């Protein structure tokens, strides 16, 4: 019953910013952690950031540390990814995911996925 819907993707110039949102719906939605992953054409889906639902601890991929910020609003069942100083290599489809039991950087540990939102960074 859990559904995740991403929004906020688009085309931006290098150095710009973009804020992605993920709206979760479902009866008694209460994940252990929420994460953002991305997948560029021809490449495997990779971890971007994760946030523990309770407490709000965060972790990031080295490639985005200092540039991206993940946050969540438990009351609104929302998770966000604020992306700054975007680079062409950030271009990918970004996916929101929910884990029922793990705070993890692995695709395997996430149970629910959104449809993805395209982020394109031009140079």
């Amino acid at each position: 019953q859990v559904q995740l819907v991403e929004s906020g993707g688009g085309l931006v110039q290098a150095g710009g910013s973009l804020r992605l949102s993920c709206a979760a719906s479902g009866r008694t939605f209460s994940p252990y952690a929420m994460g953002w992953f991305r997948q560029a054409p021809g490449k495997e889906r990779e971890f971007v950031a994760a946030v523990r639902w309770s407490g709000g601890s965060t972790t990031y991929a080295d490639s985005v540390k200092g540039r991206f910020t993940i946050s969540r609003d438990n009351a609104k069942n929302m998770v966000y990814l604020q992306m700054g100083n975007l680079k062409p290599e950030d271009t990918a489809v970004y996916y929101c995911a929910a884990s029922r039991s793990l705070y993890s950087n692995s695709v395997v540990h996430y149970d629910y996925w959104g449809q993805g939102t395209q982020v394109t960074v031009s140079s």
Side-chain angles (χ1 to χ4, degrees):
Q1 294 187 53
V2 175
Q3 290 189 22
L4 304 175
V5 180
E6 304 96 333
S7 63
L11 174 65
V12 297
Q13 293 187 322
S17 300
L18 207 59
R19 188 197 194 208
L20 304 184
S21 298
C22 175
S25 62
R27 305 178 193 281
T28 65
F29 180 74
S30 185
Y32 189 85
M34 294 291 291
W36 284 98
F37 293 79
R38 66 187 183 187
Q39 186 166 25
K43 296 186 177 181
E44 295 184 354
R45 189 168 300 185
E46 67 174 356
F47 171 76
V48 175
V51 59
R52 196 189 300 272
W53 200 245
S54 179
S57 298
T58 59
T59 184
Y60 302 88
D62 289 340
S63 61
V64 306
K65 284 182 179 178
R67 299 190 298 121
F68 292 10
T69 300
I70 186 172
S71 61
R72 88 278 190 261
D73 187 329
N74 305 69
K76 296 180 179 180
N77 288 341
M78 296 285 291
V79 62
Y80 309 93
L81 184 67
Q82 180 65 50
M83 306 182 292
N85 190 25
L86 284 162
K87 306 175 184 298
E89 49 263 46
D90 293 318
T91 295
V93 174
Y94 283 69
Y95 297 91
C96 174
S99 174
R100 293 178 295 183
S101 60
L102 290 169
Y103 175 51
S104 171
N105 64 358
S106 175
V107 169
V108 174
H109 297 139
Y110 288 79
D111 307 289
Y112 307 101
W113 296 83
Q115 81 290 346
T117 185
Q118 178 70 48
V119 171
T120 301
V121 184
S122 62
S123 60

